[in-house]
Amino acid sequence: MKGGWNMEKIYLLLSQSGTIPARVLKWFTHAEYNHISLGFSKDLLTMYSFGRRYLYLPIPGGFVSEGRDRGIFERFPNAKIALLELEAPQEKKELLARRLQAMYENKKKYRYNLLGVGLAAFRIPYQRKEHYYCSEFVRDLLVECGILKGEDFQRIVQPIHFLTLNETKLIFSGKLSEYSAEK
């Protein structure tokens, strides 16, 4: 029921920050974007993902809350971004919000799937319980909450794959510093 009265919006922020790990991923994937975050507001003030826990250290990584003025984006305001909009029924968006809240309350138990992202560069899938890299996290959560279907994805998912989904709509592409939620 796309576009129906009970549909709400979810935002997916794809980015290429320019950090050394991001440049290494870009070298392997040849993808324009190598990070993805998930949020509920077009202002991008609170987004969720798996990434670096400390601003200047790429590891350890895990479940993080980041925003346009926090986390990695605080350090790289000119990061290249693509903002996608995804519609979901209100009850599924609420389920997603509850799942994110539960993860946030227990964020210390979640780890970055460093081995999984390394093997993904060689097209070898590797998933571990409570370990994710950013695109695994977004895919698994959206599929678990019934917002997207698992068959929409390859076994190894990259942030760039979200651009190709029929359910997502590109609403901005450019530098983060040039983005305005009012546009």
Side-chain angles (χ1 to χ4, degrees):
M1 179 167 170
K2 192 171 170 99
W5 64 272
N6 69 339
M7 299 300 276
E8 296 198 12
K9 298 196 180 349
I10 296 168
Y11 297 93
L12 306 176
L13 180 66
L14 283 67
S15 60
Q16 179 65 20
S17 65
T19 63
I20 292 171
R23 285 183 279 173
V24 169
L25 281 171
K26 185 173 183 167
W27 185 81
F28 274 104
T29 65
H30 305 287
E32 197 171 353
Y33 305 101
N34 286 296
H35 184 64
I36 187 168
S37 309
L38 167 71
F40 299 115
S41 177
K42 200 174 177 181
D43 63 16
L44 310 180
L45 293 177
T46 303
M47 305 292 289
Y48 300 94
S49 191
F50 271 71
R52 58 177 68 205
R53 287 193 172 147
Y54 305 104
L55 189 56
Y56 292 96
L57 298 172
I59 53 177
F63 183 70
V64 295
S65 173
E66 54 196 11
R68 69 177 304 156
D69 300 322
R70 294 184 295 116
I72 199 69
F73 300 118
E74 173 186 356
R75 198 166 147 217
F76 294 94
N78 287 320
K80 184 177 185 177
I81 66 164
L83 183 60
L84 305 177
E85 189 176 80
L86 173 65
E87 288 188 337
Q90 179 181 358
E91 61 275 6
K92 291 182 179 185
K93 182 180 176 183
E94 289 171 357
L95 176 62
L96 176 63
R98 287 192 304 273
R99 180 75 173 102
L100 279 168
Q101 182 62 35
M103 288 181 78
Y104 190 76
E105 289 170 1
N106 296 292
K107 64 184 173 186
K108 296 236 188 265
K109 81 176 187 177
Y110 295 99
R111 303 282 184 256
Y112 190 83
N113 189 2
L114 189 58
L115 184 56
V117 80
L119 290 171
F122 300 101
R123 309 237 184 270
I124 301 169
Y126 183 73
Q127 287 192 277
R128 298 164 57 191
K129 183 180 177 172
E130 297 171 348
H131 288 68
Y132 297 94
Y133 53 87
C134 62
S135 49
E136 274 183 326
F137 158 71
V138 173
R139 175 201 57 202
D140 289 0
L141 217 51
L142 292 174
V143 169
E144 176 185 315
C145 293
I147 296 167
L148 293 175
K149 294 179 177 76
E151 55 267 16
D152 291 337
F153 295 97
Q154 302 171 16
R155 281 187 73 198
I156 298 171
V157 63
Q158 297 175 12
I160 201 77
H161 294 144
F162 289 86
L163 273 172
T164 65
L165 299 175
N166 291 331
E167 296 85 356
T168 59
K169 175 183 168 188
L170 178 66
I171 61 171
F172 179 82
S173 178
K175 291 182 181 177
L176 178 61
S177 60
E178 296 169 350
Y179 174 73
S180 170
E182 284 79 44
K183 289 183 182 179

